[in-house]
Amino acid sequence: MHIRRDSTCSALMIALCFVLLPWIGSVAADDDRAGDREAMVKEQIITRGVKDPTTLAAMRAVPRHLFVPASLAPRAYQDRPLPIGYGQTISQPAIVAFMTEIINPGPGRKILEIGTGSGYQAAVLAATGAQVYTIEIIPQLAASAAARLKKLGFGDVAVKTADGYYGWPEQAPFDAIIVTAAAEFIPPPLIEQLAEAGLMIIPVGSPYFVQTLMLVQKQNGKVISNNLMPVRFVPFQRAEE
Ligand code: SAH
């Protein structure tokens, strides 16, 4: 019994290393903040109940301090969101990990993110081996995130500047959709672009008030939604007509 469990475990570890080592190798070189990330994972993420090994490995691998303005790099691994310019923020690490775990990313999964911001959430998803498409409405943020992702070895992430309300119809359907700005309602095109059995995580509610993080599932063409927890995100903006 023991031996069997061990061998399953090590097979899993080997499979995980196979998927994650190339990423870890490409992003972790010259990185002196691995200890800070380990502390972040232990103290902020595992303690809040995130268990998925793929998610935890991605949180350990992606150098969050290179996704914030240089002046804030010393605070990059604190338990808080940080400003990234243009009135936007990079989410708290624990929220990124929670949202990542729940959509079950990994090799072979096609994921759409709305709200690229710094590119950090997109990099975490890509580090799981998922194929990532991300949309940002502020052109300057989209451009800097795309350049940063490329430089850090996440050049496979597709970034576009657009109003994410409309999703990315040419690439649909998606196995999962993650929205990182709070919308007043779930944009119907995003539900449309979710694959059968797909999962969407989205904060819903009025800007500047407490919003609800919702998990939306498509099953047999029906949409089932669950409220997960109260959250606060920057507002989902709309392009001017
Ligand atoms: N995921 C980001 C944090 C995002 S903050 C990260 O890891 O850094 C939310 C982002 O959503 C902001 O950059 C904001 O400009 C963007 N946003 C707001 N409304 C949007 C919309 N309709 N379409 C695409 N992006 C949007």
Side-chain angles (χ1 to χ4, degrees), residues 88-89 113 115-118 121 136-138 163-164 180 236-237:
Q88 307 306 320
T89 55
E113 180 196 26
T116 314
S118 67
Q121 174 74 73
E136 170 56 53
I137 201 165
I138 300 176
D163 180 351
T180 64
F236 193 95
Q237 301 170 33

Side-chain angles (χ1 to χ4, degrees), residues 27 29-31 62-69 73 76-77 118 148 152:
V27 299
D30 308 324
D31 177 10
V62 179
R64 184 173 162 93
H65 62 287
L66 302 181
F67 287 80
V68 298
Y77 296 100
S118 67
R148 176 180 295 123
L152 296 176

